[in-house]
Amino acid sequence: MKKFLFPAFVLLVLLCGCKGPTVMVNGVEYEALSEEEVKELCSMSEMYLRNNVPNVISEQESRTIRSFDPECTIKYNGDRSGRAVIRWSLPKRNIEVVFDGLLLDPSAKCWVQSEEKQPEVLDFTKKSTLREQQKAVEPGKRKRAPRRNRRRARQ
């Protein structure tokens, strides 16, 4: 009897102790990808970008992608499944490879998104003073300050 209990105990410890990482989403615990699997997903996205969509990136962008690690965001909706966004921030644009479905599965949906970076973003939430506006105008072409409404007394 002792010969049977010890191997059963060892087997039980091995099976229960080797559980992978988990993540909690809306009160439900899902099995997550390990760090090695996330790196594998990133390398799969890089290969997908180079081989399946060759006209999306230039040769220089391809070299940049190979030299830098991407930013990886995963939103789980099941065990080892969900939506993974692998993003490279290049000097002129952002490139994303999106996986949807069972991650690391060859049948998972995959597509590429590319977004051109804007040269400068104007912030209209800040109110500038009149002096800052006048300084922004070229020195030789100063604009007059707007006249304020004045009440005229009629007599």
Side-chain angles (χ1 to χ4, degrees):
M1 185 73 164
K2 289 182 181 178
K3 291 181 180 179
F4 176 72
L5 287 177
F6 182 71
F9 177 73
V10 171
L11 183 63
L12 180 66
V13 169
L14 287 176
L15 291 177
C16 294
C18 295
K19 189 174 180 183
T22 59
V23 64
M24 188 74 84
V25 179
N26 295 331
V28 180
E29 189 173 352
Y30 295 123
E31 186 179 343
L33 298 178
S34 66
E35 286 188 35
E36 293 83 22
E37 291 171 328
V38 171
K39 288 179 183 178
E40 184 180 339
L41 187 67
C42 291
S43 65
M44 281 176 50
S45 64
E46 181 183 334
M47 289 185 335
Y48 176 79
L49 193 60
R50 280 196 327 241
N51 298 332
N52 295 344
V53 196
N55 296 332
V56 171
I57 59 173
S58 66
E59 184 60 37
Q60 182 164 351
E61 288 174 332
S62 178
R63 282 193 297 267
T64 305
I65 285 173
R66 276 185 249 137
S67 62
F68 292 107
D69 288 335
E71 176 185 329
C72 183
T73 307
I74 301 175
K75 293 183 181 177
Y76 291 96
N77 58 15
D79 287 336
R80 302 170 63 86
S81 66
R83 177 171 284 187
V85 179
I86 292 86
R87 178 185 181 133
W88 287 272
S89 183
L90 302 175
K92 293 184 180 179
R93 63 186 175 149
N94 296 323
I95 297 177
E96 296 177 346
V97 177
V98 182
F99 291 93
D100 194 25
L102 189 59
L103 303 173
L104 292 176
D105 187 22
S107 65
K109 296 177 190 172
C110 182
W111 65 89
V112 176
Q113 298 175 351
S114 176
E115 175 187 19
E116 298 291 327
K117 288 185 178 178
Q118 299 298 323
E120 183 179 325
V121 177
L122 300 176
D123 187 8
F124 292 108
T125 59
K126 295 180 182 177
K127 291 184 178 179
S128 62
T129 63
L130 181 60
R131 290 183 189 239
E132 290 173 358
Q133 290 175 358
Q134 287 176 344
K135 288 179 184 178
V137 177
E138 294 178 21
K141 299 180 181 178
R142 286 212 168 238
K143 293 184 179 179
R144 286 183 156 195
R147 291 186 179 185
R148 295 186 178 157
N149 293 334
R150 299 179 186 163
R151 289 188 181 176
R152 293 185 182 182
R154 293 187 182 180
Q155 293 181 2

